[in-house]
Amino acid sequence: MNKMFVSRKVGYPKREVDVLERASLQVQSIYDRAATMAKQYYLSIDLSYPTAFQQVPPTYFQKWIYTIKGWKFLGSEYTPESTENLSTMTDVKTSLNLSEFHPSSDPSSSTSEDTITPLISLCLQALIWSQYEEIRLLHPFLGEDSFYSEEELDIIAAYFVPTYFSERPLRTCGKAYRKRNLSIPIYQENLRTSSVVYSAESGMVEERLTTGVYISDRQFKGLGPYIKNRSGTRIFMQAAVE
């Protein structure tokens, strides 16, 4: 999965889908723990749903890229979905049409109070990575008292993209990075990833491929591959297992 020529469908080897399914659920478990801790101890913002949504499981939209080191997790968003919408989700192992999830919409464009914004998501990402580095550094002294287990630390190391509130750690290590232009500066390591080439009005265009993963009620529900055009709009494609 280095460079693919596509129309509106992106092919995924079944073995990679299986890896991503397992990894996405492991990552979501860590993400939820960090969000709960941040809500209780660090953030003044309330991350819980309004009462009307408390009985409806949220649909998470994770963002992944495929690199030379395998799958890497960039961040997550979620919006409460109606029970009716949740029941129409199709497993990626058959076929996935993104219109069933978000017809003509971009999950990152919502300004609803019920949506985890890119800012909150990336702050959680930076928090998790900071915890990971500190626990690894102090592990001989912490023993079994660390917030994450050894298995969870391995999952963070394997899948999370290093994310910081300052560019200094990345610059010190000589790593390329991306500055996310939000109200709070967030910096992520810039990893080389798969791209897709598709036909546009201006000709053949090559863009970075991001694989969205939908999770509902702690279950893997499907893939939502997309690219961003030059104006920043997400263009979703159909996922096909090969």
Side-chain angles (χ1 to χ4, degrees):
M1 294 178 64
N2 185 18
K3 182 187 295 185
M4 291 177 285
F5 291 83
V6 301
S7 52
R8 294 291 295 180
K9 182 179 292 186
V10 178
Y12 292 85
K14 184 180 183 303
R15 65 180 180 279
E16 294 298 340
V17 174
D18 291 341
V19 170
L20 189 52
E21 177 177 357
R22 181 173 61 254
S24 63
L25 295 176
Q26 292 172 327
V27 163
Q28 192 62 52
S29 176
I30 293 172
Y31 205 82
D32 288 344
R33 287 192 64 200
T36 299
M37 182 194 65
K39 175 184 171 182
Q40 294 176 345
Y41 299 106
Y42 290 100
L43 302 180
S44 59
I45 184 172
D46 185 4
L47 299 183
S48 64
Y49 294 130
T51 303
F53 293 107
Q54 287 180 358
Q55 302 303 317
V56 181
T59 298
Y60 291 85
F61 183 76
Q62 297 181 349
K63 293 169 286 187
W64 291 76
I65 56 175
Y66 191 81
T67 73
I68 58 174
K69 295 182 179 180
W71 290 106
K72 294 294 182 180
F73 173 68
L74 292 173
S76 185
E77 305 162 8
Y78 67 73
T79 302
E81 296 285 348
S82 69
T83 305
E84 179 181 357
N85 287 341
L86 287 172
S87 66
T88 63
M89 290 187 175
T90 305
D91 195 305
V92 70
K93 293 174 182 177
T94 55
S95 178
L96 178 65
N97 186 336
L98 265 295
S99 64
E100 297 177 5
F101 291 88
H102 292 281
S104 304
S105 69
D106 179 346
S108 69
S109 65
S110 173
T111 57
S112 165
E113 65 180 5
D114 302 319
T115 301
I116 279 195
T117 65
L119 172 60
I120 297 176
S121 171
L122 287 170
C123 284
L124 284 173
Q125 189 93 347
L127 172 64
I128 291 169
W129 191 256
S130 173
Q131 289 177 305
Y132 165 76
E133 291 191 324
E134 290 178 1
I135 291 172
R136 283 299 193 201
L137 179 64
L138 300 175
H139 190 267
F141 306 100
L142 294 175
E144 298 180 356
D145 295 328
S146 63
F147 183 74
Y148 297 115
S149 67
E150 189 67 31
E151 180 182 1
E152 289 173 324
L153 292 173
D154 290 341
I155 291 169
I156 295 171
Y159 299 121
F160 280 71
V161 174
T163 306
Y164 300 92
F165 292 107
S166 167
E167 76 276 18
R168 183 177 299 175
L170 294 163
R171 183 181 295 173
T172 300
C173 295
K175 295 181 178 180
Y177 60 88
R178 300 170 61 205
K179 180 181 178 182
R180 310 301 294 270
N181 294 316
L182 303 167
S183 56
I184 298 175
I186 303 289
Y187 302 84
Q188 279 192 319
E189 183 178 354
N190 192 19
L191 301 172
R192 295 188 62 183
T193 183
S194 304
S195 62
V196 295
V197 179
Y198 68 100
S199 178
E201 292 182 359
S202 58
M204 300 302 292
V205 179
E206 181 176 349
E207 299 288 356
R208 163 181 166 134
L209 175 66
T210 303
T211 298
V213 175
Y214 290 92
I215 294 177
S216 177
D217 199 20
R218 299 184 180 179
Q219 294 183 18
F220 176 85
K221 292 294 182 177
L223 302 181
Y226 70 90
I227 58 175
K228 281 189 177 182
N229 61 19
R230 294 179 182 178
S231 66
T233 302
R234 288 180 184 172
I235 300 175
F236 285 98
M237 300 178 180
Q238 185 177 5
V241 179
E242 300 174 343

